[in-house]
């Protein structure tokens, strides 16, 4: 399922500090008792794994590709590209990661199916030429979603500190300070980060240099690349364009309870 979430942890907690009159600490210290009494700390902490990715195609092919090898990259391969320097992959090949984009999974682990057909263009100079096109009716061996390739999860803690100032038996003033995302942890939006800004679309895998090629005009290196991703963004993520969840913000409130 595209909504599969194997791990989710939520903790809700409240702690009334044990200081002041009637408490276990500093009950006999008048000054500290007044300062530290009636404080309460509460919060919500959430941890959740991200949703699985879906790899798809475009440019005349929209089925599932073949899965050739493990697409999960060890941490040392997940670099941020400069658009110039070639980066090695586990299979010995290399790619140039676009500037500012982070390599997230192995783009060479996926390959779509292409077929050779007769060139039917009336303007073709040589009627014997053939073209390489996407096999629109082919569905590869890869799964619908990839549980080992996931988007961004949740790692968030909201905290609240409250102090009650007792005026009379049935009246009090409460001061409250709330901190959303208290540790200011950067959290990319799972939906926007994956669907919009992570390269999960293989692209026009049958195109070479933006055109549909004739098989006989291709070099051996170009022939070997047919079916692989033509999009340089495939397998990468652009942090600067991704949606993010709220950064830390503070909210203070003063209320009268009666």
């Amino acid at each position: 399922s595209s909504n599969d979430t194997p791990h989710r942890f939520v903790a809700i907690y409240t702690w009334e500090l044990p200081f002041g009159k009637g408490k276990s600490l500093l009950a006999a210290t008048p000054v500290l008792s007044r300062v530290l009494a009636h404080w309460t700390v509460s919060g919500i902490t959430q941890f959740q794994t991200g949703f699985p990715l879906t790899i798809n195609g475009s440019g005349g092919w929209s089925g599932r590709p073949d899965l050739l090898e493990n697409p999960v990259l060890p941490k040392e391969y997940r670099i941020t590209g400069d658009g110039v320097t070639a980066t090695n992959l586990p299979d010995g090949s290399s790619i140039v990661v676009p500037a500012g984009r982070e390599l997230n999974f192995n783009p060479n682990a996926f390959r779509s199916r292409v077929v050779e057909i007769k060139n039917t263009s009336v303007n073709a100079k040589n009627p014997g030429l053939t073209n390489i096109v996407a096999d629109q009716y082919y569905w590869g061996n890869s799964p619908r979603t990839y549980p080992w390739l996931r988007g961004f999860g949740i790692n968030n803690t909201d905290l609240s500190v409250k102090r009650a100032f007792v005026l009379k038996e049935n009246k009090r003033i409460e001061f409250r300070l709330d901190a959303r995302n208290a540790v200011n942890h950067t959290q990319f939006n799972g939906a926007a980060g994956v669907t919009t800004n992570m390269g999960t679309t293989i692209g026009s895998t049958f195109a070479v240099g933006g055109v549909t090629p004739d098989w006989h005009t291709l070099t051996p290196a170009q022939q070997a690349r047919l079916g692989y991703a033509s999009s340089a963004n495939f397998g990468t993520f652009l942090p600067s364009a991704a949606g993010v969840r709220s950064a830390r913000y503070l909210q203070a409130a003063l209320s009268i309870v009666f």
Side-chain angles (χ1 to χ4, degrees):
S1 169
S2 58
N3 294 320
D4 175 55
T5 306
H7 303 105
R8 176 170 171 80
F9 171 83
V10 179
I12 303 174
Y13 41 88
T14 299
W15 180 35
E16 185 177 355
L17 300 186
F19 304 123
K21 184 178 180 180
K23 305 296 181 181
S24 58
L25 300 176
L26 303 178
T29 309
V31 176
L32 292 178
S33 176
R34 287 181 176 274
V35 173
L36 299 177
H38 307 296
W39 284 96
T40 301
V41 178
S42 58
I44 300 176
T45 296
Q46 300 181 68
F47 298 102
Q48 177 181 309
T49 53
F51 295 136
L53 300 186
T54 299
I55 308 299
N56 49 44
S58 66
W61 177 84
S62 57
R64 301 177 192 170
D66 286 324
L67 182 63
L68 306 180
E69 57 183 288
N70 185 2
V72 179
L73 287 176
K75 186 176 181 180
E76 59 267 25
Y77 290 93
R78 301 179 188 178
I79 56 92
T80 299
D82 60 8
V84 177
T85 307
T87 300
N88 292 326
L89 295 175
D91 61 3
S93 62
S94 63
I95 61 172
V96 176
V97 179
R101 298 189 73 95
E102 296 179 3
L103 185 59
N104 187 270
F105 60 85
N106 185 358
N108 287 346
F110 302 93
R111 189 178 190 180
S112 62
R113 180 71 62 89
V114 296
V115 293
E116 183 180 9
I117 64 172
K118 183 177 179 180
N119 190 329
T120 58
S121 172
V122 295
N123 297 320
K125 296 180 180 180
N126 187 343
L129 291 179
T130 59
N131 289 140
I132 304 300
V133 299
D135 187 344
Q136 302 182 36
Y137 306 103
Y138 178 76
W139 287 77
N141 62 13
S142 61
R144 186 171 67 90
T145 59
Y146 296 81
W148 53 88
L149 292 178
R150 292 184 174 271
F152 305 99
I154 297 175
N155 179 353
N156 186 75
T157 296
D158 298 331
L159 292 177
S160 178
V161 178
K162 183 176 68 174
R163 170 64 151 95
F165 300 89
V166 178
L167 302 177
K168 292 184 179 181
E169 182 178 354
N170 61 346
K171 295 182 178 64
R172 67 182 186 272
I173 295 177
E174 288 187 352
F175 169 76
R176 183 187 186 102
L177 179 64
D178 299 326
R180 308 300 184 191
N181 189 8
V183 297
N184 204 29
H185 182 75
T186 300
Q187 302 177 84
F188 294 110
N189 187 300
V194 174
T195 306
T196 306
N197 297 295
M198 183 176 290
T200 55
T201 299
I202 288 182
S204 301
T205 58
F206 53 91
V208 175
V211 299
T212 302
D214 168 43
W215 173 266
H216 304 288
T217 64
L218 300 179
T219 65
Q222 290 175 323
Q223 292 177 1
R225 287 298 304 171
L226 288 173
Y228 286 98
S230 61
S231 170
N233 293 337
F234 182 62
T236 69
F237 165 65
L238 183 60
S240 61
V244 293
R245 295 186 173 89
S246 297
R248 176 177 56 212
Y249 71 91
L250 304 178
Q251 173 180 284
L254 191 65
S255 58
I256 300 176
V257 180
F258 58 91

